[in-house]
Amino acid sequence: MEQIKMIAPCLFGVESIAAEEFKRMGFTDVVAENGRVLLSGDYNMLARANINSRFAERILINVGQFRATSFTELFDGVKDLPWEEYIGKDDAFPVNGSSISSALYSIPDCQSIIKKAVVNRLSSKYGISWFNETGCECKIRFTIIKDNVTVAIDTSGEGLHKRGYRRNSNDAPLKETLGAAMCDLARIYPDTKLYDPFCGSGTLLIESALMATKTAPGLRRFFASERFGFMPKTAWQQERMRAQDLIQHNIEFRAQGFDIDPDCVELTLANAKKAGVEKYVKAAIGDIRDFTTPDERLLVITNPPYGERLLDVAEAEKLYKIMGERFDKTQGKKYFIISPHDEFEKHFGGTADKRRKLYNGMIKCQLFMYFKHK
């Protein structure tokens, strides 16, 4: 069959990680861009991307791209695209999107024009003038950046960061896709011993366990395109079986979390069970002031509370100092800490061996990596 062009939006700073993951899945036409990855494949690969991607925010079908500086150009550009290949005569097709640095800046007006253009195209193809939109929902997403228009169909539904295991969370949850990126940068192996002294709802522990066991993050959830008329059911069945076969059982990986809040500990254990990794994830009540590292090779990945999140800046700085004192910087112990504080290293008491800029929502952060100990 003809290759489907896809777009995988992702958090800023995660593009290269996501691109490498798609290559490992078997995609050959992969291009990382600012805030997204472009790729192409057949129906099976589209299903595979949804089920297996740890870092992408969603998978979109790239229906078309063109330039538009007027509503007439926008209407004509959208109308020229093959919407009938994706949207059935009974399907619903809501429109939403964004516009940045473009002549067409009114989102409601752009939504209205795109909707009318799609209706016009489908009317001529199906020979009907009214669409009840009672069938499955094919969401149309548009982006207009510097007058360049991209229109796409969302195949994921809920964002891919919603794995299905975290129905509840603590006050300041780390997005699952960002947590997975941190784990990837830290390198998770089947025998890793991982610790998180600020485990919250358990995101880092669970994402690392899913990674260690090679469990696809989307294996337990539903995707919008499973209802699409043009998507063969066999693609989903085959890709879920493939993902199931890749899971590694009975590995030596262990993840131990601590949190000062008993509710967070309870939440972590409940979420680990929903994710199917309770065998590998443990959690207990613990204060950072009492944290000690066992005499073994280990990895600490953590997202400590900080000024813009749960603590004021002064309290956060005190916390960083305590972390620096409690984290044993000897050979075989690695620390990966995310923080938006520009002077984290000063308060922690050591310059990171490596830093990586990442975004936690709209907050610019740095992942501070310590791994070169004597």
Side-chain angles (χ1 to χ4, degrees), residues 122-306:
L122 294 179
S123 292
S124 65
K125 295 296 177 180
Y126 293 134
I128 55 177
S129 58
W130 179 259
F131 293 87
N132 291 316
E133 300 193 48
T134 55
C136 75
E137 188 174 72
C138 298
K139 286 185 180 177
I140 297 172
R141 292 181 177 268
F142 69 88
T143 56
I144 309 176
I145 302 175
K146 294 182 179 178
D147 301 321
N148 292 306
V149 182
T150 299
V151 279
I153 291 177
D154 180 6
T155 72
S156 302
E158 281 196 307
L160 295 182
H161 70 280
K162 294 190 177 180
R163 322 293 207 202
Y165 65 74
R166 198 173 75 179
R167 294 302 176 193
N168 299 302
S169 62
N170 60 323
D171 290 338
L174 186 76
K175 205 169 188 180
E176 292 90 336
T177 42
L178 178 58
M182 290 170 60
C183 293
D184 185 79
L185 290 165
R187 299 286 181 267
I188 303 297
Y189 298 101
D191 61 350
T192 294
K193 303 299 183 290
L194 184 141
Y195 291 81
D196 181 359
F198 305 98
C199 67
S201 56
T203 302
L204 288 167
L205 304 172
I206 295 166
E207 290 299 321
S208 62
L210 292 172
M211 199 171 284
T213 56
K214 300 191 184 306
T215 301
L219 198 52
R220 296 185 170 214
R221 59 159 284 181
F222 175 84
F223 302 94
S225 48
E226 292 188 57
R227 290 198 182 104
F228 289 180
F230 65 88
M231 275 286 289
K233 296 287 187 285
T234 53
W236 294 103
Q237 294 164 358
Q238 290 166 0
E239 291 305 319
R240 281 201 167 91
M241 286 176 62
R242 175 186 176 275
Q244 195 72 47
D245 290 343
L246 290 174
I247 298 175
Q248 292 189 1
H249 301 280
N250 301 317
I251 59 173
E252 295 179 20
F253 173 87
R254 294 293 181 270
Q256 173 69 57
F258 298 97
D259 204 286
I260 199 168
D261 185 348
D263 290 340
C264 286
V265 172
E266 187 178 328
L267 196 54
T268 291
L269 295 173
N271 288 342
K273 188 172 183 179
K274 287 178 189 171
V277 293
E278 69 271 23
K279 174 181 176 181
Y280 304 101
V281 175
K282 307 299 179 188
I285 299 169
D287 191 312
I288 186 63
R289 293 169 181 80
D290 303 318
F291 182 77
T292 56
T293 54
D295 187 20
E296 63 177 353
R297 292 176 62 87
L298 58 83
L299 171 64
V300 172
I301 309 179
T302 193
N303 174 35
Y306 46 74

Side-chain angles (χ1 to χ4, degrees), residues 80-91:
D80 285 342
L81 298 173
W83 296 101
E84 67 279 1
E85 292 181 12
Y86 308 107
I87 301 173
K89 61 182 180 180
D90 295 318
D91 294 343

